[in-house]
Amino acid sequence: MSFKTNNKVVQWVEDRLPLISMGHHTLYEYPMPKNLNYLWNFGSLAGFALVTMIVTGIILAMQYTPHVDMAFNSVERIMRDVNNGWLIRYIHMNMASFFFIAVYIHIMRGLYYGSYKAPRELLWQLGVVIFLLMMATAFMGYVLPWGQMSFWGATVITNLFSAIPVVGESIVTWLWGGFSVDNPTLNRFFALHYLLPFIIVAVVVLHIVALHTVTSNNPLGIDMKGPQDSLTFQPYYTIKDLFGLGVFLILFAGFLFWAPNYMGHPDNYIPANPLSTPAHIVPEWYFLPFYAILRAVPDKLGGVLAMFGAIAVLFVLPWLDRSKIRSCKFRPVARVFFWIFLLNGLFLGYLGGKPAEGWYVVASQIATAYYFFHFLILLPVILPMIERPRELPSSIHEAVLKS
Amino acid sequence: MKKILSGLFAAALGFATVPANAAGDAVPLPDYEWSFDGVFGTYDKASLQRGFQVYKEVCSGCHSLDLIAFRNLADLGYNVDEIKAIASEYTVEDGPNDEGEMFERNAIASDYFPSPFPNEKAAAASNGGKAPPDLSLMAKARVGGPSFVRALLTGYEDAPEGFETGDLSYNKYFPGHLIAMAPPLSEDSVEYGDGTAATVDQMAADVSHFMMWAAEPKLEARKNTGVKVMIFLIIFTLVMYAAKRKVFAKVH
């Protein structure tokens, strides 16, 4: 059912620029496994969040002033005097969190069902690149309102680079554009915060091209073998994605309209003051697990390496997990350790929100060690020795009929 | 399928509760009820006006309210003439005029509330070295929000034995308990026009209410819009769910 038309104008365009058939191919006839569960909704939800962030962000940029003396008040002007400015700004604030919620679930889905394994290694790595770019964008965006957490968060995070031997201090000065976080820093963060989302869009396009080359994984982790295993994207997954979007937006609207500051931090409603440090400098919730890893290592450089290593390890995951079986459905041991890994990650998030003192420090160290143990020892060394995977069904179609 | 879905939402919400506020050894705040709480919450205009009176007659001696203009008082139920009258009680600096001189004039509706001190250094110098913070966003800038402000204003008590306060005051709810602000409210600090008894509790409740409005003036529009959006989203989602069921009914 490839693209055909009787319309002469469409055919004329089509002969010169095959845009319509490309759209038809990717959004209409593209074959998806017929057994996808709702965890496969989160990719499109993340895409929706990205578009929302860009649209609201461009509108905010029309009203925002990136200057240390005016940034804070320009945000308050948006909240008070710009028509529906409060709505645009709260959407931007809360959708940032919901973007991360969608992406974290999307990543966890990939981990559970082995979506990173051959032939999807590049697809997975492009995803990790998107995740990194998102973190950089979110961090710089949080600096823009120039509240206390903006300023001190920026100070703490940029200072991490001073841990690099020999050139660290110079790099930090270069990042700041001066000798402390100041107006040049705010200006460049604004410029980069505007730029990076479009780079994310570019990588998302690559992510989708790669996806459409290798097609979606599915809960069984076995390949589609023919039309009996698949459904066309339209109408099946368009409608399922729209239903998922509705549920996602209901939850989002709950926060947006009734608890818009719940996921933020009160200190960021205090204008930035370089002379007064907040009692506890805490990043946004979506950074907390990595913040916990950073602080778990007593050495500054070691902490920075551990934090970046926590993401770098995802990059090489396709080669660390040596099992040929993709889905944890057929991996009785890996499945148990997946849930332990997830709980450990949530625990790290909890610890990242606590001050680095008392038992929190020791717990962070243990949880950090476990994080790396999972990827570096458990998956490549221990699981291949002890796990006997269950037998895979011969086809998706057969498995669906049986259930 | 439903299990996975509900599990996900639980996980999402669990994530959301992670940013534990690092308030340290804060005393739990009393569980106040506010008219602006809840799905349909709105501000109580009478309380806002009383709260504004408390700000004007007590707080504004030391605390600025930089983000609020006189025109914003329309939200409190004042009409244009009343706002003009309130503004005209204040003088603001304007200029330069045609001779190049700065001059003082009565404030008009579009002016912002003038600060009690010319700059932060002056504010600090007049207040024992610590400048009183601006109150525009106070109700959003502290853990607990308006309830924290209200608890703080009623939380002054004698320091426990052996607790050195020096020039500072002891407050049950202030982090660390030592606060530079002396107890600002006492019985009948103001005389309410509507006959409400001006107890410390009442004034604290009113001025916290007022500060919540100052911090979040669009709260009513937000909740109002939210109800409409939510109704739309629920209908949209139900229709999509029905359509999804129908489309997938033929799949085996």
Side-chain angles (χ1 to χ4, degrees):
Chain A
M1 48 184 273
S2 68
F3 179 73
K4 281 196 188 74
T5 180
N6 294 322
N7 185 313
K8 290 211 169 93
V9 179
V10 172
Q11 191 58 51
W12 187 91
V13 175
E14 188 58 28
D15 291 340
R16 286 151 183 84
L17 180 70
L19 213 61
I20 299 164
S21 61
M22 264 170 65
H24 181 82
H25 176 70
T26 49
L27 295 171
Y28 197 104
E29 63 181 11
Y30 172 66
M32 305 271 283
K34 69 199 260 187
N35 60 332
L36 298 186
N37 60 35
Y38 278 101
L39 287 170
W40 265 264
N41 278 52
F42 287 89
S44 74
L45 290 177
F48 178 86
L50 176 62
V51 172
T52 307
M53 293 307 281
I54 290 178
V55 171
T56 52
I58 289 172
I59 299 171
L60 288 173
M62 294 174 187
Q63 308 283 350
Y64 168 79
T65 311
H67 186 283
V68 289
D69 294 334
M70 288 174 266
F72 187 90
N73 281 348
S74 77
V75 172
E76 281 305 315
R77 280 291 269 214
I78 292 170
M79 294 296 288
R80 290 156 194 272
D81 292 336
V82 172
N83 290 333
N84 290 308
W86 61 270
L87 180 60
I88 302 291
R89 194 249 176 162
Y90 275 156
I91 290 175
H92 199 74
M93 249 172 88
N94 284 280
M95 193 55 94
S97 282
F98 271 71
F99 195 1
F100 274 98
I101 291 173
V103 162
Y104 275 126
I105 296 174
H106 190 63
I107 293 172
M108 282 301 169
R109 195 283 322 273
L111 288 178
Y112 186 85
Y113 293 110
S115 300
Y116 46 85
K117 293 186 189 181
R120 300 189 177 83
E121 301 95 325
L122 283 179
L123 173 62
W124 171 263
Q125 289 183 323
L126 286 166
V128 177
V129 171
I130 294 170
F131 182 49
L132 269 174
L133 287 169
M134 272 178 73
M135 294 206 282
T137 310
F139 161 64
M140 287 190 271
Y142 194 62
V143 175
L144 302 185
W146 209 243
Q148 274 289 69
M149 272 310 163
S150 301
F151 179 86
W152 290 99
T155 303
V156 169
I157 300 299
T158 49
N159 253 315
L160 294 180
F161 292 91
S162 71
I164 301 168
V166 189
V167 291
E169 295 291 338
S170 309
I171 287 179
V172 174
T173 306
W174 177 71
L175 285 175
W176 285 341
F179 298 101
S180 66
V181 174
D182 207 335
N183 202 47
T185 326
L186 178 59
N187 274 224
R188 61 190 56 189
F189 276 24
F190 179 54
L192 292 173
H193 183 70
Y194 204 114
L195 169 70
L196 287 184
F198 297 98
I199 297 181
I200 294 178
V201 170
V203 184
V204 166
V205 169
L206 294 178
H207 192 64
I208 292 172
V209 171
L211 172 70
H212 283 234
T213 308
V214 298
T215 69
S216 291
N217 187 27
N218 64 81
L220 296 173
I222 57 178
D223 293 329
M224 291 183 279
K225 295 198 176 81
Q228 75 280 7
D229 288 346
S230 69
L231 294 170
T232 50
F233 191 71
Q234 158 73 10
Y236 296 99
Y237 287 103
T238 41
I239 193 67
K240 195 176 177 183
D241 279 352
L242 279 172
F243 166 57
L245 178 66
V247 177
F248 183 74
L249 287 181
I250 286 173
L251 277 173
F252 172 69
F255 278 96
L256 170 64
F257 292 109
W258 288 281
N261 293 302
Y262 183 77
M263 289 184 277
H265 199 284
D267 278 49
N268 227 30
Y269 282 109
I270 304 171
N273 181 354
L275 301 177
S276 150
T277 319
H280 299 293
I281 301 173
V282 189
E284 291 285 84
W285 69 265
Y286 37 79
F287 291 135
L288 290 176
F290 298 103
Y291 194 55
I293 290 174
L294 168 75
R295 294 188 307 180
V297 184
D299 173 63
K300 190 173 177 184
L301 180 60
V304 174
L305 289 176
M307 184 175 72
F308 285 109
I311 294 164
V313 78
L314 291 174
F315 216 77
V316 292
L317 172 63
W319 296 276
L320 291 175
D321 183 353
R322 287 162 48 203
S323 169
K324 292 272 176 269
I325 311 295
R326 294 195 191 108
S327 174
C328 275
K329 218 171 182 160
F330 305 104
R331 301 184 64 189
V333 185
R335 180 166 57 203
V336 174
F337 281 105
F338 167 84
W339 290 108
I340 296 174
F341 175 78
L342 178 60
L343 289 176
N344 185 60
L346 292 172
F347 185 52
L348 275 170
Y350 166 80
L351 292 168
K354 295 289 172 192
E357 60 192 32
W359 71 272
Y360 298 131
V361 178
V362 184
S364 301
Q365 286 164 350
I366 295 170
T368 299
Y370 185 80
Y371 181 98
F372 287 103
F373 166 79
H374 179 90
F375 287 118
L376 298 178
I377 298 173
L378 188 74
L379 288 180
V381 182
I382 299 180
L383 283 188
M385 289 195 296
I386 60 170
E387 187 173 62
R388 277 175 182 277
R390 285 170 42 205
E391 199 187 333
L392 293 175
S394 57
S395 80
I396 293 173
H397 181 65
E398 191 183 276
V400 170
L401 278 184
K402 264 190 215 159
S403 65
Chain B
M1 222 151 43
K2 286 202 181 88
K3 252 189 201 162
I4 296 175
L5 209 57
S6 58
L8 276 180
F9 297 151
L13 291 174
F15 258 124
T17 54
V18 167
N21 289 306
D25 56 344
V27 180
L29 300 174
D31 196 12
Y32 297 123
E33 282 191 11
W34 299 100
S35 68
F36 49 77
D37 283 344
V39 175
F40 303 100
T42 55
Y43 288 120
D44 172 355
K45 287 200 167 66
S47 180
L48 287 181
Q49 292 198 3
R50 290 195 300 269
F52 171 53
Q53 187 184 350
V54 176
Y55 169 73
K56 195 168 68 165
E57 294 177 18
V58 183
C59 317
S60 69
C62 303
H63 290 277
S64 56
L65 193 64
D66 287 344
L67 298 174
I68 302 297
F70 294 103
R71 61 184 163 83
N72 297 133
L73 295 176
D75 290 1
L76 274 55
Y78 293 110
N79 62 34
V80 176
D81 291 328
E82 286 168 323
I83 290 172
K84 282 182 182 165
I86 292 167
S88 66
E89 295 169 23
Y90 291 81
T91 48
V92 292
E93 190 180 54
D94 200 349
N97 60 15
D98 292 344
E99 280 76 48
E101 306 289 336
M102 300 303 281
F103 61 94
E104 296 211 319
R105 61 163 173 79
N106 289 343
I108 57 174
S110 61
D111 284 315
Y112 283 76
F113 274 87
S115 300
F117 299 103
N119 54 57
E120 199 178 324
K121 286 267 161 70
S126 310
N127 287 281
K130 177 112 178 55
D134 184 78
L135 296 184
S136 313
L137 284 163
M138 185 55 73
K140 287 204 294 195
R142 296 292 182 278
V143 176
S147 294
F148 171 76
V149 175
R150 183 167 167 183
L152 181 91
L153 290 173
T154 53
Y156 286 91
E157 51 187 42
D158 293 330
E161 212 146 312
F163 197 100
E164 277 302 320
T165 59
D167 291 338
L168 306 172
S169 300
Y170 184 88
N171 191 300
K172 190 175 162 190
Y173 298 106
F174 193 71
H177 300 304
L178 279 177
I179 182 168
M181 176 169 70
L185 299 171
S186 54
E187 193 87 5
D188 295 319
S189 293
V190 301
E191 193 183 329
Y192 282 138
D194 63 2
T196 306
T199 61
V200 172
D201 273 347
Q202 182 66 40
M203 289 183 288
D206 290 336
V207 81
S208 312
H209 204 110
F210 170 76
M211 279 157 70
M212 183 61 191
W213 164 80
E216 190 75 5
K218 306 295 184 190
L219 176 140
E220 291 180 355
R222 166 157 62 77
K223 295 196 171 183
N224 195 0
T225 311
V227 172
K228 291 175 198 158
V229 170
M230 208 50 128
I231 290 170
F232 167 79
L233 282 177
I234 289 170
I235 295 170
F236 170 83
T237 307
L238 288 175
V239 171
M240 289 304 137
Y241 182 65
K244 189 250 160 198
R245 288 277 301 237
K246 188 155 189 286
V247 166
F248 272 81
K250 290 164 267 171
V251 178
H252 297 291

